[in-house]
């Protein structure tokens, strides 16, 4: 599991002092940075910097799951990696899962299990990313720059379980737990999981 900082209001900074390295956002040298950072409405060739507040000067980073009632330049439109345990699935099809669906993530090395939501889309050739909050709850190194683990994590995703919108932590916990128990809970997970 690698760590995704996207959606955190302090994920990326022009001086590269954010939670994650600017190269992971592709900024400024690629065209795909506009999939991760909000372009400045006044200058679309530059990322938008927050003009005020506790994260003034930081870029606004996006998640694919968004609250469409808020402005694109409002950091609260996106799912905050530091607060919400979320998973990232590859673009181009994820076995029927849609943004906003619920998930349960299991760390086979320490037995921790965490409820989450599918909130971001990654490259089509990569699976196994999660938010900072998910990593912390699973007890694995949570730095987007240096954290993550190479094995031992199992993701159980419930296609069709969400409503396509960001949810509160309490809603995520209630809904994911309900779907997990209906699926078969720990007994079924233990039958599927083989630690490596």
């Amino acid at each position: 599991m690698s760590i995704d900082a996207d959606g955190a209001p302090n994920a990326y900074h022009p001086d590269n002092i954010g939670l994650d390295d600017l190269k992971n956002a592709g900024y400024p040298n690629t065209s795909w940075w506009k999939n991760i950072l909000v372009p400045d409405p006044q200058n679309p060739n530059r990322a938008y910097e927050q003009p005020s507040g506790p994260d003034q000067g930081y870029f606004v980073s996006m998640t694919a799951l968004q609250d469409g009632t808020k402005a694109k330049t409002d950091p609260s439109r996106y799912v905050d990696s530091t607060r919400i345990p979320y998973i990232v699935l590859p673009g181009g099809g994820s076995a029927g899962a849609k943004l906003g669906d619920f998930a349960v993530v299991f760390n086979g090395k320490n037995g921790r299990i965490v409820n989450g939501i599918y909130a971001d889309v990654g490259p089509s050739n990569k699976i196994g990313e999660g938010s900072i909050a998910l990593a912390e709850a699973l007890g694995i190194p949570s730095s987007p720059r240096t954290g993550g683990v190479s094995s031992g994590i199992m993701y159980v995703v419930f296609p069709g379980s969400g409503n396509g919108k960001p949810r509160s932590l309490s809603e995520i916990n209630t809904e994911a737990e309900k779907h997990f128990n209906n699926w078969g809970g720990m007994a079924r997970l233990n039958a599927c999981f083989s630690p490596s």
Side-chain angles (χ1 to χ4, degrees), residues 23-99:
K23 71 180 179 188
N24 292 329
Y27 190 81
N29 301 318
T30 71
S31 59
W32 52 266
W33 70 263
K34 293 181 181 182
N35 296 323
I36 297 171
L37 303 175
V38 174
D40 189 322
Q42 306 303 316
N43 181 359
N45 294 319
R46 179 155 174 73
Y48 179 76
E49 294 179 31
Q50 297 173 60
S52 60
D55 300 299
Q56 180 177 353
Y58 283 85
F59 294 133
V60 176
S61 71
M62 300 181 278
T63 53
L65 185 62
Q66 304 176 9
D67 179 349
T69 66
K70 297 179 178 177
K72 289 186 178 184
T73 55
D74 182 345
S76 68
R77 176 184 175 105
Y78 310 100
V79 182
D80 185 343
S81 177
T82 63
R83 293 182 38 247
I84 299 294
Y86 72 68
I87 65 167
V88 180
L89 293 176
S94 297
K98 298 200 179 336
L99 287 165

Side-chain angles (χ1 to χ4, degrees), residues 44-187:
N45 294 319
R46 179 155 174 73
Y48 179 76
E49 294 179 31
Q50 297 173 60
S52 60
D55 300 299
Q56 180 177 353
Y58 283 85
F59 294 133
V60 176
S61 71
M62 300 181 278
T63 53
L65 185 62
Q66 304 176 9
D67 179 349
T69 66
K70 297 179 178 177
K72 289 186 178 184
T73 55
D74 182 345
S76 68
R77 176 184 175 105
Y78 310 100
V79 182
D80 185 343
S81 177
T82 63
R83 293 182 38 247
I84 299 294
Y86 72 68
I87 65 167
V88 180
L89 293 176
S94 297
K98 298 200 179 336
L99 287 165
D101 283 346
F102 298 101
V104 168
V105 185
F106 178 65
N107 184 343
K109 295 186 177 176
N110 63 17
R112 290 191 189 181
I113 189 162
V114 179
N115 299 313
I117 190 168
Y118 170 24
D120 211 4
V121 175
S124 60
N125 62 347
K126 183 178 179 186
I127 192 163
E129 285 186 86
S131 68
I132 294 168
L134 178 63
E136 288 173 352
L138 288 170
I140 65 173
S142 63
S143 167
R145 291 177 184 255
T146 61
V149 292
S150 60
S151 65
I153 307 298
M154 179 178 235
Y155 301 77
V156 181
V157 184
F158 306 103
S161 59
N163 64 4
K165 297 178 182 174
R167 305 292 274 276
S168 70
L169 186 56
S170 62
E171 287 176 302
I172 292 167
N173 285 328
T174 299
E175 291 298 314
E177 187 172 337
K178 177 182 77 175
H179 288 285
F180 182 63
N181 289 333
N182 289 341
W183 176 74
M186 281 306 298

